[in-house]
Amino acid sequence: MSKGVKNLTKWEIAVIPGDGIGKEVVPAALDVLQAVADVHGGIAFSFTEFPWSCDYYVEHGQMMPDDGLSTLRNFAAIFLGAVGNPKLVPDHISLWGLLLKIRREFEQVINIRPAKYFRGLSSPLAEPRDFDFVVVRENSEGEYSEVGGRIHRGEDEIAIQNAVFTRKGTERAMRYAFELARKRKGHVTSATKSNGIFHTMPFWDEVFADVKRDYPDVATASYHIDALAAFFVTRPHTFDVVVASNLFGDILTDLGGAIMGSIGIAPAANINVNGNYPSMFEPVHGSAPDIYGKGIANPIGQIWTAKLMLDHFGEEELGALLLRVVEDVTADGVKTPDLGGTATTKEVAAEICRRLRAYA
């Protein structure tokens, strides 16, 4: 890591704290990112905050202004807190008006969510055995396509939801997973259900078989989603990179957060792979309006999300240092109440910053 400022790299970051505890954990994570920049000495962050949220919707009738996407397009990345306050705005409006709108319009076709045995956390697993895996989720189509509809009423009512799988989108997610595995432990697991879903999952299996031929150095496995979910509980330490469809990836990553001991620490990255738009980084947890304003929200999910952003910028060594420090702090008992501690949001972030700056 550089200690000088001769070739300073500056990253322009769009910050959207959003709703609820997003307004508490995002500022905490920004403090940590500033400490990271101080440690490095050769990078700097410029944060531009946008108030787009359910409160914004109540005032303006939309989750973001009409030119919101064109404004965001000029940033290196988007750092998002949490979206949603059903007391003010129905969830389908808040999500499709902000989070999902950004994902779709900015072609953030890959979603990455890591899960690992986290020092200082009590996993509900009896023998977690230091698991460390990443789920690569196809993020643009699959079961979450908008194709379908509803007809008739009463007992004759019919709802049809079409899952759309393209070879381009499927192969893109799989190749991303294989490339990531080459940087890790060299193994990719495919999540399928070809014994029960007649068309799309056999197609998924065929594309996986085609793609893996190009990666003879990477070992592979394929499991039906029901068995795979069970294996996440019984032997998560055997997995490295798991590639999954939109729905399967969504379910598996929540399970990943659960076996870590808290969904509140789980991070996510929405990746644009063609370079035409910024990628977006967000924690998996929601806005938790029930604890907003109490100062006890867990900032680790947002801070780990910052680590994923550093990785995306090519600062993987710095990201690894950040996560190591976060684990040290957690292992030493500086934790928010949801993890069994007594520290506030600000106290956890301040301790992480203090220890980071000790490396400068």
Side-chain angles (χ1 to χ4, degrees), residues 206-349:
E206 292 164 13
V207 176
F208 187 73
D210 290 343
V211 171
K212 75 178 184 180
R213 294 190 187 100
D214 293 336
Y215 298 88
D217 54 318
V218 178
T220 63
S222 180
Y223 297 111
H224 292 137
I225 184 63
D226 44 352
L228 183 55
F231 292 154
F232 266 31
V233 174
T234 59
R235 51 181 181 88
H237 60 282
T238 63
F239 296 104
D240 178 21
V241 177
V242 178
V243 63
S245 67
N246 214 332
L247 174 62
F248 291 174
D250 195 3
I251 294 170
L252 287 174
T253 51
D254 274 12
L255 181 54
I259 63 174
M260 283 195 291
S262 173
I263 198 73
I265 72 167
N270 301 283
I271 303 297
N272 169 270
V273 296
N274 60 26
N276 293 333
Y277 304 98
S279 296
M280 179 167 62
F281 302 85
E282 52 166 334
V284 175
H285 66 67
S287 59
D290 56 321
I291 62 169
Y292 170 58
K294 297 181 180 180
I296 59 172
N298 187 347
I300 292 179
Q302 193 77 51
I303 293 169
W304 195 348
T305 294
K307 184 267 186 192
L308 297 185
M309 187 170 71
L310 290 169
D311 292 344
H312 182 66
F313 290 155
E315 297 290 349
E316 295 179 350
E317 182 183 353
L318 200 58
L321 171 63
L322 172 56
L323 188 58
R324 186 166 67 249
V325 170
V326 172
E327 279 199 84
D328 287 344
V329 168
T330 303
D332 288 343
V334 184
K335 299 182 288 189
T336 46
D338 61 303
L339 300 182
T342 59
T344 65
T345 307
K346 291 181 178 180
E347 287 170 344
V348 172

Side-chain angles (χ1 to χ4, degrees), residues 136-175:
V136 175
R137 168 188 171 191
E138 199 292 315
N139 205 38
S140 64
E141 51 182 40
E143 303 90 346
Y144 289 176
S145 75
E146 299 174 61
V147 180
R150 296 169 68 168
I151 58 174
H152 307 314
R153 293 292 181 270
E155 66 179 13
D156 293 323
E157 187 170 11
I158 300 172
I160 299 173
Q161 177 71 51
N162 293 329
V164 177
F165 286 72
T166 65
R167 177 168 287 272
K168 179 180 179 181
T170 302
E171 182 173 325
R172 181 170 53 203
M174 291 175 177
R175 290 193 180 279

Side-chain angles (χ1 to χ4, degrees), residues 52 56 60-71 101:
W52 306 335
Y56 185 91
H60 300 277
Q62 53 187 354
M63 292 297 293
M64 67 165 71
D66 293 336
D67 63 350
L69 291 175
S70 60
T71 300
K101 186 178 183 67

